[in-house]
Amino acid sequence: MVKTRFAPSPTGYLHVGGARTALFNWLYARANGGHFVLRVEDTDAARNTEEAREAIFGGLSWLGIDWDEGPFYQSQRQEIYDRYWKILEDGGYIYPDPESGALRFRSPKETLTFEDKVCGEITVDRSAEPDMTLRRPDGSYIFHFVNVVDDIEMGITHVIRGEDHLMNTPKHLEIYKALGAKPPVFAHIPLILNEDGSKMSKRDQGAAVASYPAEGFLPDAVRNYLCLLGWNPKDDREKLSLEDILALFDWDHLNSSNAKFGLEKCQWLNGQYLAELSPQEFTEAAMPFAPEGTSPALLPLVQQKVRTLSEVKEWLRPILEDDFPTNPEAAAKISSNPDAKSYLEAIATALAETSEWTQDSIKQAVATTAATLGTKPGKLMFPLRVASSGVAQGTDLLATLELVGQERTVTRIRSRVASIFA
RNA sequence: GACCCGUUCGUCUAGCGGUCUAGGACUCCGCCCUUUCACGGCGGCAACACGGGUUCAAGUCCCGUACGGGUCGCCA
């Protein structure tokens, strides 16, 4: 059975690179009817934190990545490692560092070649490399050893990890051989970099998985975007369901060059996913991002506008605030139109006198006013938009005004007319 | 520095020797739709790192160079 794993060390936040590694492992297991294992590599006691562990688990869960086995903690598996350690000792592979007493692995120092599913055939001359340390003087084991032992012990068949591990693979292969174990299939996926090509760090926008729920991204959208970094369906599709991805997920769809992370496209994709939600689903998701006391009825107005839920607030302000500041350029555009003032005064009167307050009646009032003024209704819409909301670009005007209410709408128009044409 | 990997529009990418005057997407711009804003539709700008080979034919194969990234820990 196919078995993959994600093996983070709980020393920091979960970054997008790690999340994508986890995702690819998870996808490969799911696509092949296998198991996905979660293993926490917490051998460096000094650097581990519970907070980091929670951030990693939380991030995985948010993305919808679940695990079939584990979580295992390396800190709790000492006996297993001791058992394998004896094999190395008995094989004569271990010798102490004369200075510190740390224990090193006697490398065969050969040239070795292995097949990587992404990078192809890799050949490395190990003869000049120093022997790796596998055990500290205090008896604790080091990454290379426990990583290999666990992969053997857990029956991991495919190791998908970042390309930063590519040069660790020959070392690991030496350990597999010394242990008499069959190595797994390796696939080293390219790294995710900043737009300028530098390494992503916690400060960089979009680097931390935790920032996505906070910014109002949908897990499906982020998962979709992350898949597109280093993997693609080999056709023109970009918005892909999990089923679509699972159907196609395989080595020849992975590519081998590093990807630069672009938040813009992720936001666009998220907007696509948000737009597809039912109004009820959207309202529910968006409410936590709306200002205190916002009526849920207003939220569908912004559904087709926002790319992330954190943008909801900005779109809502012109609707919620009677004295929302008028956009200067929009105001200038209106005041430069010699007819605008009379248009707005007429429309304000018409709206004030209309007996019903629905989208249709507002539309009717606009049409009638336009007819009276001898102009087209379309000519009134922009001034009306600016005068009633303060902005040139906003939500659907008729629907918005209906929800704002008759009295407030008229008051807003008159107040802005006074200030714009002062 | 040594070793390893990589290099198609600004970005994500398609392309696995002829179908490439290089396709899609994000961004930006224009037009259409909308009696409004968006969405959507249509169109535009924009790329095969460079130099040698191999071949009738190279973005596609090979070799160099340049550039980018990674690794060389008693971190993982």
Side-chain angles (χ1 to χ4, degrees):
Chain A
M1 177 175 70
V2 165
K3 213 187 262 196
T4 62
R5 45 71 162 180
F6 180 54
S9 68
T11 53
Y13 64 111
L14 178 62
H15 55 93
V16 290
R20 191 197 48 170
T21 300
L23 183 57
F24 282 12
N25 275 285
W26 181 80
L27 286 168
Y28 191 76
R30 288 283 169 275
N32 292 284
H35 273 188
F36 174 68
V37 178
L38 180 60
R39 180 172 83 221
V40 180
E41 307 219 324
D42 54 350
T43 54
D44 187 359
R47 305 200 319 163
N48 299 326
T49 69
E50 174 57 19
E51 194 186 7
R53 207 218 90 235
E54 276 170 17
I56 292 165
F57 283 35
L60 294 177
S61 298
W62 184 76
L63 282 167
I65 298 174
D66 54 356
W67 45 92
D68 307 294
E69 298 176 31
F72 298 105
Y73 294 86
Q74 290 186 326
S75 57
Q76 297 167 7
R77 297 166 62 81
Q78 186 78 13
E79 315 78 58
I80 295 165
Y81 306 135
D82 289 343
R83 212 168 69 228
Y84 280 84
W85 184 254
K86 188 148 190 321
I87 301 172
L88 292 186
E89 280 185 327
D90 291 349
Y93 287 100
I94 302 302
Y95 69 92
D97 180 277
E99 302 211 347
S100 66
L103 297 166
R104 292 183 183 277
F105 178 83
R106 196 185 314 279
S107 166
K109 312 243 181 207
E110 293 164 338
T111 292
L112 87 214
T113 297
F114 64 96
E115 178 71 20
D116 185 274
K117 282 295 183 185
V118 174
C119 301
E121 195 177 275
I122 310 286
T123 300
V124 182
D125 177 8
R126 298 272 303 142
S127 62
E129 301 298 318
D131 286 341
M132 58 187 151
T133 303
L134 292 188
R135 197 169 186 178
R136 301 184 184 91
D138 68 5
S140 61
Y141 295 106
I142 283 161
F143 165 70
H144 297 111
F145 178 69
V146 291
N147 184 271
V148 168
V149 168
D150 277 338
D151 284 344
I152 294 170
E153 186 70 13
M154 294 173 186
I156 302 301
T157 57
H158 299 262
V159 169
I160 303 167
R161 64 206 333 186
E163 204 190 272
D164 51 340
H165 283 293
L166 190 60
M167 287 299 103
N168 283 153
T169 307
K171 298 179 187 176
H172 295 182
L173 254 12
E174 290 180 347
I175 300 176
Y176 276 101
K177 194 175 175 190
L179 253 17
K182 180 171 171 276
V185 172
F186 289 100
H188 290 88
I189 57 179
L191 271 17
I192 300 177
L193 309 172
N194 283 317
E195 294 240 48
D196 65 0
S198 64
K199 207 169 182 171
M200 288 192 98
S201 67
K202 191 170 188 170
R203 295 207 145 283
D204 296 309
Q205 270 260 301
V209 172
S211 70
Y212 291 89
E215 282 295 310
F217 283 86
L218 260 20
D220 282 352
V222 176
R223 184 221 66 226
N224 191 156
Y225 179 73
L226 250 25
C227 282
L228 258 17
L229 256 26
W231 177 91
N232 77 80
K234 294 193 179 285
D235 57 33
D236 290 341
R237 286 179 295 167
E238 298 213 294
K239 186 166 178 296
L240 294 140
S241 70
L242 193 53
E243 292 68 40
D244 294 335
I245 294 170
L246 284 172
L248 293 171
F249 196 82
D250 209 347
W251 310 122
D252 55 335
H253 289 258
L254 290 173
N255 82 264
S256 51
S257 53
N258 292 345
K260 291 171 186 169
F261 182 85
L263 195 57
E264 292 247 314
K265 191 157 183 173
C266 187
Q267 289 170 331
W268 166 78
L269 200 51
N270 195 60
Q272 300 286 307
Y273 277 86
L274 285 173
E276 265 188 4
L277 259 29
S278 71
Q280 293 77 7
E281 287 170 327
F282 179 81
T283 301
E284 197 177 316
M287 272 309 277
F289 293 85
E292 191 87 14
T294 301
S295 159
L298 294 176
L299 291 167
L301 289 173
V302 304
Q303 179 170 4
Q304 306 300 321
K305 307 288 179 184
V306 298
R307 297 180 306 167
T308 63
L309 296 173
S310 63
E311 292 175 354
V312 163
K313 198 172 176 175
E314 285 307 300
W315 282 93
L316 242 27
R317 282 187 62 202
I319 305 171
L320 294 169
E321 299 173 20
D322 287 326
D323 52 355
F324 185 78
T326 310
N327 177 278
E329 283 125 60
K333 218 166 167 181
I334 294 186
S335 56
S336 70
N337 176 354
D339 297 324
K341 191 177 182 192
S342 55
Y343 283 0
L344 285 168
E345 282 167 347
I347 193 77
T349 304
L351 290 176
E353 287 171 355
T354 193
S355 56
E356 225 189 322
W357 191 252
T358 64
Q359 285 192 54
D360 281 342
S361 67
I362 297 166
K363 191 173 174 180
Q364 193 52 49
V366 172
T368 313
T369 308
T372 310
L373 293 167
T375 186
K376 288 187 282 189
K379 295 277 180 204
L380 298 183
M381 291 302 274
F382 183 74
L384 176 57
R385 173 178 289 283
V386 175
S388 62
S389 71
V391 291
Q393 275 132 21
T395 49
D396 178 82
L397 193 54
L398 270 12
T400 301
L401 295 185
E402 178 182 328
L403 286 165
V404 167
Q406 184 169 20
E407 205 181 307
R408 289 174 79 191
T409 296
V410 172
T411 307
R412 286 180 188 187
I413 295 169
R414 289 191 166 139
S415 147
R416 281 206 180 84
V417 167
S419 65
I420 292 172
F421 298 96

